[in-house]
Amino acid sequence: MEPDSTEPQTETAAISANATTDPLTSQFGSLNDVTHELDTLQDLATRGSWLTILEKVTQALSLSVLSKPHDRLTYISFKILALSKLCRFAEASQELDSLHDFGSSQYQYQSYPEIYPSRTGSMVPFTLRWLYALIPIKLGNRQEGLDRLYTLLDFVREKIKEKESKNLDVSVNVWERREVFVMHCLTGFHLGQKEFGVCLNLIKELISRDLSDPVMISKLGYIQMQIGDLEGAKSSFGRVEKMLSEGNGNGLLSEVEFRNLVNRNKALVYLVGKDYVSAVREYDECIERDYADVIAINNKALCLMYLRDLSDSIKVLENALERVPTMALNETLVINLCSMYELAYVNHVDIKKTLSNWIARVAPDDFDSSCTRL
């Protein structure tokens, strides 16, 4: 969670040493007993330990052990993120509301010259701004969320101009990546509502900035398929394949990832034409290169199901789970496997219970167990 500071970020979320004499925490051996540094919180986030993060951060905030304003704000960001991951969106929204205006002077480094003598700018983490836009959508207020996302996009673009005017190339790169991230979010939300025209405009704008992004061009092809422009999709997919043959992928993907992307694009064309056998062949090539290609595995299983080979379809997904247990964390794959169980077995409830119990041992806190439909 990076701050918006105009200066390079050198501070960590470590608590200042002089806070150890605080009577509120004197009962503990050290501050590490009640809170964690950012590296630890980020490690917990990577492992999906959101309940642990929530417990530790809530404890630190309640004991007032965070001595610097930006420490407190960063920890609140982790709390809101954890609540969001746990689908406790109403609580996350209340936490956000308690922060009030992000543009307030209380969130500016220069408001605390005695603590940050050489820093200026906002200390609000970008993640917090993004959550501010995301959570209304999760609460069913889609338009409010979209408005906030577009406002965030404008904010990011203003930051890019500001950094460019100061020749801060490293900062420009950071904010440009954030711009792409927000545009990806917008594309995903509009795609979910089948607003394909808006999606096309966003994707084409992104491609115009980077003509050598094979993932983006592939996504364009996917959207073209959604609106029935099969020839346009084939053209986009062909463009990606040509990039592979010419070695023109801008280093965004490894060779295996690039080749699998091309195979998956071909498979989509076959799927539209209901040539499931050819689609399976393309997915097999992907899996042979990378046995953890969850998209290829999931789609191969669906193709086999369409070919009325339900037994082999189930085996594909079960074998994938045996090879790579973390595959169980892909909710789409689990949903499809459970649907196949329902079609194939009379005692599907017992089978799904066994699967659900196994998943519970490996899944992170934010895994949606309802996907097993028990």
Side-chain angles (χ1 to χ4, degrees), residues 86-272:
L86 295 167
C87 297
R88 292 160 62 174
F89 300 114
E91 293 174 66
S93 180
Q94 289 176 356
E95 289 287 340
L96 277 169
D97 289 343
S98 70
L99 297 176
H100 306 295
D101 182 13
F102 288 158
S104 169
S105 60
Q106 67 177 311
Y107 300 130
Q108 300 291 319
Y109 284 110
Q110 58 268 32
S111 297
Y112 310 92
E114 69 286 355
I115 302 177
Y116 313 105
S118 60
R119 300 187 70 175
T120 60
S122 173
M123 64 180 70
V124 178
F126 177 76
T127 299
L128 199 55
R129 298 181 186 276
W130 173 68
L131 288 169
Y132 178 73
L134 175 70
I135 287 173
I137 296 174
K138 295 297 186 179
L139 288 172
N141 302 321
R142 179 177 178 272
Q143 192 55 55
E144 181 181 2
L146 281 177
D147 289 344
R148 290 183 180 183
L149 269 177
Y150 278 106
T151 298
L152 179 59
L153 183 60
D154 290 339
F155 173 82
V156 170
R157 287 173 171 171
E158 285 299 317
K159 282 291 182 181
I160 292 173
K161 291 179 183 177
E162 175 188 321
K163 305 301 181 183
E164 286 176 337
S165 68
K166 297 178 180 178
N167 295 318
L168 299 172
D169 293 340
V170 174
S171 293
V172 169
N173 290 336
V174 169
W175 285 99
E176 284 180 341
R177 289 198 299 272
R178 289 170 175 174
E179 180 187 21
V180 171
F181 172 76
V182 175
M183 292 181 73
H184 272 297
C185 290
L186 285 165
T187 301
F189 288 128
H190 286 299
L191 189 60
Q193 296 295 313
K194 302 187 184 301
E195 296 166 348
F196 300 121
V198 182
C199 291
L200 281 174
N201 290 337
L202 288 167
I203 290 291
K204 287 178 178 178
E205 182 179 351
L206 285 168
I207 292 174
S208 69
R209 301 182 188 189
D210 185 357
L211 300 176
S212 57
D213 185 341
V215 175
M216 198 65 60
I217 297 170
S218 296
K219 185 172 284 189
L220 172 62
Y222 173 74
I223 294 173
Q224 288 169 321
M225 289 186 115
Q226 294 291 307
I227 62 176
D229 182 9
L230 184 58
E231 292 306 312
K234 288 180 179 178
S235 176
S236 295
F237 292 155
R239 183 175 164 188
V240 174
E241 188 170 6
K242 184 179 179 182
M243 290 168 63
L244 173 64
S245 64
E246 295 176 349
N248 183 26
N250 202 22
L252 298 173
L253 300 174
S254 69
E255 183 179 354
V256 168
E257 290 171 332
F258 207 157
R259 290 187 179 278
N260 279 20
L261 178 63
V262 169
N263 282 114
R264 293 198 303 267
N265 288 345
K266 289 180 179 178
L268 280 177
V269 176
Y270 287 129
L271 273 171
V272 171

Side-chain angles (χ1 to χ4, degrees), residues 288-347:
E288 186 175 341
R289 290 192 203 99
D290 178 9
Y291 62 82
D293 187 333
V294 67
I295 298 174
I297 291 167
N298 185 67
N299 288 0
K300 176 187 176 181
L302 291 176
C303 287
L304 290 171
M305 186 180 71
Y306 295 148
L307 289 168
R308 300 180 182 179
D309 189 352
L310 195 54
S311 177
D312 278 355
S313 181
I314 289 173
K315 286 180 182 178
V316 166
L317 298 183
E318 288 183 334
N319 289 341
L321 292 178
E322 289 177 9
R323 288 196 308 270
V324 188
T326 52
M327 288 271 191
L329 310 185
N330 185 288
E331 292 169 8
T332 300
L333 187 149
V334 174
I335 288 171
N336 288 337
L337 178 56
C338 289
S339 296
M340 292 172 190
Y341 283 153
E342 291 169 4
L343 292 172
Y345 304 117
V346 174
N347 63 331

